[in-house]
Amino acid sequence: MHTILPPNKLPKNLKPVQVLQAISSSLLTETLFVSVLSGGEAAHAVKRFSGLYTGPYFDDSTATNITTQLGTHAYLPCKVKQLGNKSVSWIRKRDAHILTVDRFTFIADDRFQAFLVESTDTWTLQVKYVQARDAGQYECQVSTEPKMSHFITLHVVVPKIEITGEPDMYVKMGSTVKLRCVITQSLEEPAFIFWYHDGQRVLPIDKSPYDIKAEREGPETTVSTLIIHYTTTEDSGNYTCTPSNLDSSSVLLHVLNGEHPAAMQRGKNSASPIPAWSHLSIGLGLTACTPPRFAIAVALTLAIISEIIAC
């Protein structure tokens, strides 16, 4: 391996032209190292550039678009060759906020961090637990004069979640119920999907009426199914599907013991009109043009008929 020699260490019989050629040849073939010496021995060496130094430049293979899912970690790479003693900064374009300079963070949000992968000369901006507002353009800037910039756009995919069917479900006591929680536009499968009944986690243990099944349907869809066997009135209540790092979805289950759903809805909503009173008001309206006894009789008859039909 050749070493770079200063002019005073070269052979004295060389002509000036030969001295310049020797130094130039050495620069073109050697790799410059910056060493920290401790006790006369090199503690470590960092590769800075190879060949004749011409200044920093961005690698053409550096990505310009990164897509990640809500709640996951995003990694924005910036590959800079021949960086030398220049600094690398990351800047958020929407508010021109300086996020990092080299390995130092300049924002109160500790989700942002920059680190260097020396083997690939890549400065990477890490964004932890990505939020929807993190979407947008980021600038990787090198402290040359004038400044050099490479822009990367971060796209954030927000999965959708729903329990299929109506928000209120009515079933007969003793029947089997299947609640399907469908998660779409999900780039990554959730680490877990929990079900809750009135705030208490549903656990499919031995002798439990519950079964839970989860499966991946396609590249961006996950389905979790809660099965309730031999339902009783105690199974009524709110059921919530909660995946990891995502919003939840709920449904209200009503287990009927010989009751009619319409009657339950009337009892649940005091603002709903009662048919008997509506028919009675019709009868009272007839008193303006008919004898009072006849109008009241008509109203009572209509109210009785409507209650019989409702039951």
Side-chain angles (χ1 to χ4, degrees):
M1 179 176 179
H2 299 286
T3 57
I4 302 175
L5 297 176
N8 62 347
K9 297 295 183 179
L10 294 173
K12 295 182 179 180
N13 59 347
L14 292 179
K15 295 179 180 180
V17 174
Q18 293 175 318
V19 172
L20 292 175
Q21 289 176 343
I23 295 175
S24 176
S25 176
S26 179
L27 286 172
L28 290 171
T29 57
E30 297 299 324
T31 300
L32 181 63
F33 287 85
V34 177
S35 301
V36 177
L37 302 180
S38 176
E41 296 182 358
H44 68 276
V46 180
K47 183 179 178 181
R48 301 304 292 179
F49 55 83
S50 299
L52 186 62
Y53 181 67
T54 59
Y57 64 93
F58 294 110
D59 192 313
D60 292 337
S61 65
T62 304
T64 57
N65 286 278
I66 298 294
T67 301
T68 191
Q69 181 176 304
L70 182 75
T72 61
H73 295 354
Y75 298 90
L76 282 59
C78 182
K79 187 176 293 187
V80 186
K81 296 292 187 179
Q82 297 188 167
L83 181 61
N85 61 354
K86 304 302 181 182
S87 296
V88 175
S89 303
W90 279 99
I91 302 169
R92 186 169 56 195
K93 188 175 180 182
R94 65 177 169 86
D95 56 4
H97 200 302
I98 298 175
L99 304 175
T100 63
V101 177
D102 291 338
R103 291 185 174 89
F104 299 97
T105 303
F106 286 83
I107 186 171
D109 192 341
D110 59 4
R111 296 182 304 118
F112 293 90
Q113 179 185 2
F115 58 88
L116 170 65
V117 181
E118 294 183 0
S119 60
T120 59
D121 299 318
T122 303
W123 282 94
T124 300
L125 177 67
Q126 180 187 48
V127 187
K128 299 179 180 178
Y129 310 108
V130 171
Q131 303 172 8
R133 62 185 177 89
D134 293 327
Q137 203 168 49
Y138 293 80
E139 177 186 356
C140 173
Q141 186 183 94
V142 179
S143 63
T144 54
E145 191 59 44
K147 299 292 189 296
M148 297 172 51
S149 297
H150 175 76
F151 293 93
I152 296 181
T153 303
L154 176 62
H155 305 274
V156 180
V157 176
V158 181
K160 296 182 179 179
I161 176 173
E162 67 170 347
I163 298 177
T164 58
E166 298 295 328
D168 284 81
M169 294 183 61
Y170 297 88
V171 298
K172 293 182 179 180
M173 188 173 63
S175 61
T176 298
V177 176
K178 292 184 179 181
L179 303 179
R180 296 182 76 251
C181 179
V182 181
I183 304 167
T184 56
Q185 298 182 13
S186 175
L187 302 180
E188 297 183 13
E189 188 172 1
F192 60 82
I193 302 176
F194 291 155
W195 284 89
Y196 294 89
H197 176 212
D198 289 337
Q200 298 293 322
R201 185 180 167 189
V202 175
L203 298 174
I205 57 179
D206 292 340
K207 297 182 179 180
S208 168
Y210 303 113
D211 279 331
I212 298 177
K213 298 179 180 179
E215 56 185 347
R216 190 74 167 171
E217 295 184 357
E220 297 183 359
T221 303
T222 301
V223 178
S224 177
T225 304
L226 172 64
I227 304 174
I228 309 174
H229 300 281
Y230 310 109
T231 54
T232 66
T233 54
E234 294 181 353
D235 295 319
S236 296
N238 182 280
Y239 285 85
T240 303
C241 170
T242 306
S244 59
N245 298 327
L246 295 177
D247 291 334
S248 59
S249 181
S250 299
V251 65
L252 196 59
L253 179 66
H254 305 272
V255 180
L256 308 180
N257 184 13
E259 300 161 298
H260 194 279
M264 289 188 62
Q265 287 179 319
R266 287 199 302 272
K268 181 178 62 176
N269 186 0
S270 59
S272 300
I274 300 177
W277 287 108
S278 62
H279 292 302
L280 182 58
S281 63
I282 293 174
L284 293 176
L286 292 175
T287 58
C289 55
T290 59
R293 290 185 178 180
F294 176 76
I296 293 174
V298 171
L300 291 176
T301 302
L302 290 175
I304 293 172
I305 293 174
S306 64
E307 286 300 314
I308 294 174
I309 294 175
C311 295

